[in-house]
Amino acid sequence: MRIIRLEALSDNYIFLLHDSKHNIAAVVDPAEAEPVLKKLAELKAELVAIFNTHHHNDHVGGNKELIQHFPKVIVYGGAEDRGRIPGQQVFLQQGDRVEFGDRAGDVIFVPGHTRAHIAYYFPPATFGELGELFCGDTLFAGGCGRLFEGTPTQMVSSLNKLRSLPDDTHVWCAHEYTLKNLQFALTVDSENTDLQKRFDEVKVYRSRGEATVPSLLGIEKRTNPFLRWEQPSLQSSAKSSEPVQTFARIRGMKDKF
Ligand code: ZN
Ligand code: FE
């Protein structure tokens, strides 16, 4: 399974999964149809699945047009998103599995950004490969999604599920927000040398116009303030010794950053 990153709208990424053996493709969070159709034509592949993480328009905006071009495509989304995702046919819950070609992905229920948000995790197919996590707007490189429909308690529990995956996991998040996220992270975790190093690297990548997605979960665990609610440095910035309150206060500071 090859993963192709497509740019969409102002800062969205769409991920196209390509199985060249079966000549099929799937797409994660098609913000718009046009870049997907273009790449599918280039690959001469048939679109068999749309994996949506949540109902926001910058994640499902391309569904309708893709269904028109590929009437047999199956549209997946969270069970709680019933009625909010155009064309949705499969309603997924924590622990469900999805299949694409020879690969299977686990569904992780991660409410917080929205009340219905799910993530898809494809474990390594063979020993030594990396797992692939498609986490929408829940976990970002260096940040996390805003809490539109969920509570800090829910979001901490959701992020904790993602944090429990192996360090060697690609994090395919849906937006290029990394530089701004790390700028904020430094204000609440200023002594973190891994974070300082990452910020310097990301500055260089972005100045060359390069993408910072996917990132690695191991790096997120060391540098992302929204996975570090037990760290003394973050608790001191949040003036709290309680994990959920630490997360909530740091999230509140980011909302105003
Ligand atoms: Zn969203
Ligand atoms: Fe989004």
Side-chain angles (χ1 to χ4, degrees):
M1 177 171 87
R2 186 160 71 106
I3 302 172
I4 301 165
R5 185 188 54 233
L6 305 172
E7 291 181 10
L9 307 177
S10 58
D11 52 32
N12 274 83
Y13 289 127
I14 301 171
F15 305 114
L16 193 144
L17 320 185
H18 183 224
D19 177 334
S20 53
K21 191 165 114 196
H22 303 95
N23 220 24
I24 53 172
V27 72
V28 180
D29 282 354
E32 46 185 348
E34 194 259 350
V36 177
L37 291 170
K38 202 171 142 224
K39 183 53 77 175
L40 289 170
E42 206 178 288
L43 297 168
K44 296 187 175 59
E46 187 199 345
L47 186 68
V48 297
I50 297 175
F51 296 121
N52 290 124
T53 63
H54 67 294
H55 74 291
H56 285 159
N57 201 51
D58 62 315
H59 299 255
V60 305
N63 279 23
K64 274 195 184 138
E65 202 180 328
L66 290 173
I67 296 165
Q68 280 167 10
H69 281 81
F70 297 94
K72 285 190 285 187
V73 69
I74 297 174
V75 181
Y76 299 81
E80 312 276 322
D81 259 333
R82 191 175 284 274
R84 305 204 294 186
I85 294 180
Q88 185 176 358
Q89 292 157 287
V90 184
F91 300 85
L92 298 166
Q93 290 175 323
Q94 170 73 35
D96 283 346
R97 300 205 101 191
V98 294
E99 278 174 20
F100 170 67
D102 301 333
R103 297 289 295 271
D106 300 317
V107 173
I108 308 173
F109 182 47
V110 286
H113 176 65
T114 71
R115 61 182 167 79
H117 203 300
I118 58 171
Y120 301 88
Y121 172 64
F122 289 79
T126 52
F127 186 76
E129 274 185 16
L130 270 67
E132 314 290 355
L133 173 67
F134 300 96
C135 48
D137 288 354
T138 296
L139 177 65
F140 290 127
C144 77
R146 271 176 197 261
L147 303 185
F148 286 118
E149 296 181 347
T151 63
T153 304
Q154 280 179 319
M155 192 62 154
V156 164
S157 145
S158 295
L159 289 169
N160 201 37
K161 288 183 193 172
L162 302 184
R163 198 176 67 165
S164 69
L165 296 170
D167 283 6
D168 280 342
T169 299
H170 278 138
V171 177
W172 301 89
C173 57
H175 290 272
E176 180 60 64
Y177 289 160
T178 316
L179 186 62
K180 182 117 198 274
N181 283 342
L182 296 178
Q183 258 158 8
F184 169 75
L186 280 170
T187 68
V188 291
D189 198 10
S190 56
E191 308 289 295
N192 181 337
T193 51
D194 290 326
L195 173 58
Q196 292 161 358
K197 187 168 155 260
R198 186 179 186 191
F199 178 67
D200 291 339
E201 289 167 0
V202 163
K203 253 195 315 197
V204 174
Y205 294 142
R206 292 307 294 150
S207 71
R208 296 186 200 136
E210 289 168 21
T212 63
V213 175
S215 73
L216 276 178
L217 192 57
I219 292 170
E220 297 304 331
K221 292 179 196 180
R222 295 199 299 277
T223 60
N224 188 323
F226 299 104
L227 297 179
R228 293 168 54 76
W229 48 77
E230 318 69 4
Q231 293 298 318
S233 54
L234 273 299
Q235 295 194 345
S236 137
S237 294
K239 300 190 172 56
S240 173
S241 54
E242 199 280 313
V244 173
Q245 190 176 54
T246 298
F247 172 84
R249 289 187 177 168
I250 302 285
R251 185 58 255 181
M253 290 156 79
K254 175 68 169 67
D255 287 346
K256 293 189 222 94
F257 182 70

